[in-house]
Each structure stands twice: as C-alpha cells, then as structure tokens.
Amino acid sequence: MQTQSKQKLLHAAFIIAAMLTTITAQAAEIVVDQHNKTFVVEGNKVEAITINAGDTLRFRNDDPFFHNIFSLSDLKTFDLGSFPKGQSKTVTFDKAGMAEVECAIHPEMYMEVTVK
Amino acid sequence: MYPNDGQAPTSAHVHPLKKSEPVIAKFRILTLLLSAALPIAPAQTKADAEGQYERGEKLFSTYCVRCHGKNADGEGRMVKRLYRKLKTQLPSNFTLGIYSDRPAEYLHKIITNGGENHSMSKYMPPFGEELSAKNIDDLVHFIRKTPEKYAIDP
C-alpha cells in the first residue's frame, strides 16, 4: 500500500513539474526599444503589441536622454521609474487583458499591450 | 614690520599708488561706460507675469498633473492608483504654499534633475532634457503662484 501511495505521489509531482516546465518554456521576453520617443519592436515602430500571459516586456532606452515607464491600467499598475540611455527595465504580465503603457517624461509615448 | 622680508621699502614700495592711479582711473571710466551701455533688466509687468503663469499652467497640465493633480494638490491619478499602495513619498501639494517662498533655483533644480537627486521621491522624473530652461522657469513661476489660485478659502 505504502509503495503504491509513493508511486502515485511521484507521478503527481512529475506531472506538476512537467506543467511548470511547459509554462516556463512558453513565457517569452520581448524587447521594446524606446527610440526617438517611440516604442520600437524588432526595428518597427509600434503603438500596440500582443503578448501571452506570463511574458515579460523589457523596455530598453535607446535614446540619448532619460525615459520612464508606467501604467495605471487595471490589468497591471506599475511605475518602473526613470532610466538613462542603455539601461532597461522589465515587467511581467501574468494575466490576460489590456494595459496602456506610457512614459512620464514624454506624454506622446503611448503603447497598448494586449495580453492573451 | 615690512612685508618685504623685513627690509625697508624701496621707492617702488613707497609710492605704489602713484603709478597705478591712471590705470585705476581708466578702469573706473571703462566700468561706467560699460554699465551705461548695458541694458537694465526691466521689472516683470503684470501682463508678463500672467503670460508666464498661463504658460506654466499649460506645461503643468501636460507634464505634472498625473502626479500632482489637476488642482495642484498632490492628488493625481498616480497617487490614487499606485503611490499610496506603494507607501512611497507622495507628490507635493503646491496649494499649501510650501514652495512659494523657496528660491526659484531650488524648484528649478528639482524639476531639471528629478526627485531622487534631491532626496525626494525617486518617482519624480528629471525633465531637464525634455523641457527648456525657459519652460522650467514658467513651471516654477506657476508652482510658486499656485496657492493664490487654488488655495481653499478657510
């Protein structure tokens, strides 16, 4: 009996580990450059981006002046602070929904993040 | 006692002013001419002050309202949605007049360099690269005059 219970426990642990591995493997990190006071992904200016739940956005300052990143969305509320050229800040979106991301220094910078 | 290693002064030391007097006189004349030629900064007129206030108010509504609030009372959206939850230093309430008597340069530096560089909130961004010195002057003028417009009557 004890051996059977141990086997079941090991089996459950293996399934959970496999599920976690799958989730981790699916989560991606997407680099969003802040360039010429716009958001740029893979060389293209973007005002909206779609990602999967669990993905991380890395905001990288590619301008020769300070940038900031914040969001007051219901989905995710954060302020990553201000940072100079060459530095980056990350934020992970865990739940599905929509968030607006802005720069406190440059009000014209705005991007919608749709999380599936 | 003589300054020259205890020795008696030479003739050059006895009458140093006589040789330099013409030079001093020329310098004084030059100073007078220059001061007459330079324009004296006129005092700010009421219209100038109102114009500066309006420009400052417009800049405030674009760059500062999110944190400091539309009534400059420190109750912007960031405070309500985030900063209170983070229990971080809150944006200043300008209607209290705490900055009205502070030197303009003090506020100018905070706006230019950001809060973290002046032992204030790390969330106050540096605007020195985005706004011109004149823009920041206008903002400072608005902030210092804010209590006159927004203060709540007792």
Side-chain angles (χ1 to χ4, degrees):
Chain A
M1 285 294 286
Q2 268 190 340
T3 310
Q4 276 186 342
S5 297
K6 276 183 183 175
Q7 277 180 343
K8 280 181 183 173
L9 201 64
L10 277 170
H11 189 65
F14 178 77
I15 290 169
I16 290 167
M19 283 171 69
L20 285 172
T21 307
T22 308
I23 290 166
T24 309
Q26 282 177 346
E29 181 175 288
I30 298 112
V31 175
V32 180
D33 282 318
Q34 293 168 291
H35 183 72
N36 287 340
K37 298 183 186 178
T38 61
F39 292 108
V40 174
V41 177
E42 294 177 349
N44 300 308
K45 181 184 166 186
V46 293
E47 291 178 348
I49 186 172
T50 301
I51 61 173
N52 294 312
D55 285 355
T56 295
L57 291 184
R58 176 175 291 278
F59 292 94
R60 188 169 62 187
N61 185 349
D62 193 35
D63 275 327
F65 40 79
F66 270 77
H67 275 300
N68 162 281
I69 286 292
F70 78 92
S71 176
L72 293 180
S73 307
D74 289 336
L75 179 67
K76 189 94 178 176
T77 306
F78 59 88
D79 185 343
L80 303 181
S82 306
F83 45 103
K85 178 181 172 66
Q87 287 191 15
S88 63
K89 300 272 183 175
T90 60
V91 60
T92 300
F93 291 85
D94 302 310
K95 294 183 288 183
M98 209 277 282
E100 301 97 11
V101 171
E102 300 173 67
C103 171
I105 303 171
H106 307 103
E108 66 269 38
M109 290 182 71
Y110 174 88
M111 184 174 75
E112 284 183 4
V113 180
T114 303
V115 186
K116 291 191 294 182
Chain B
M1 292 293 287
Y2 300 107
N4 190 12
D5 297 332
Q7 293 175 356
T10 60
S11 59
H13 288 103
V14 173
H15 303 293
L17 289 176
K18 280 191 176 175
K19 282 188 176 177
S20 60
E21 269 173 357
V23 177
I24 292 170
K26 280 179 187 172
F27 180 74
R28 283 180 180 154
I29 292 166
L30 186 66
T31 308
L32 280 169
L33 286 171
L34 277 171
S35 62
L38 288 171
I40 298 165
Q44 192 179 39
T45 65
K46 192 182 173 188
D48 288 342
E50 284 173 359
Q52 189 172 26
Y53 184 90
E54 283 172 17
R55 291 194 301 275
E57 190 172 34
K58 196 173 177 185
L59 287 163
F60 187 87
S61 67
T62 303
Y63 292 97
C64 315
V65 157
R66 188 171 42 250
C67 297
H68 292 280
K70 62 180 179 182
N71 295 322
D73 56 1
E75 290 293 335
R77 284 190 303 139
M78 295 294 282
V79 177
K80 292 168 185 167
R81 297 291 306 264
L82 184 63
Y83 295 152
R84 280 222 166 80
K85 288 176 194 166
L86 294 176
K87 294 183 179 174
T88 186
Q89 191 174 352
L90 297 178
S92 297
N93 176 352
F94 297 128
T95 66
L96 299 175
I98 49 174
Y99 292 107
S100 297
D101 297 326
R102 300 267 181 98
E105 293 77 19
Y106 174 73
L107 274 174
H108 203 288
K109 280 182 183 173
I110 296 170
I111 297 169
T112 301
N113 304 322
E116 198 165 17
N117 288 311
H118 295 280
S119 303
M120 301 184 95
S121 172
K122 65 178 182 178
Y123 294 110
M124 164 75 191
F127 287 99
E129 295 167 326
E130 170 69 358
L131 301 174
S132 69
K134 189 178 175 301
N135 285 158
I136 296 173
D137 283 344
D138 294 343
L139 261 177
V140 169
H141 178 80
F142 170 80
I143 290 166
R144 295 175 84 203
K145 293 285 179 186
T146 291
E148 294 173 21
K149 182 173 180 183
Y150 290 104
I152 300 161
D153 290 330

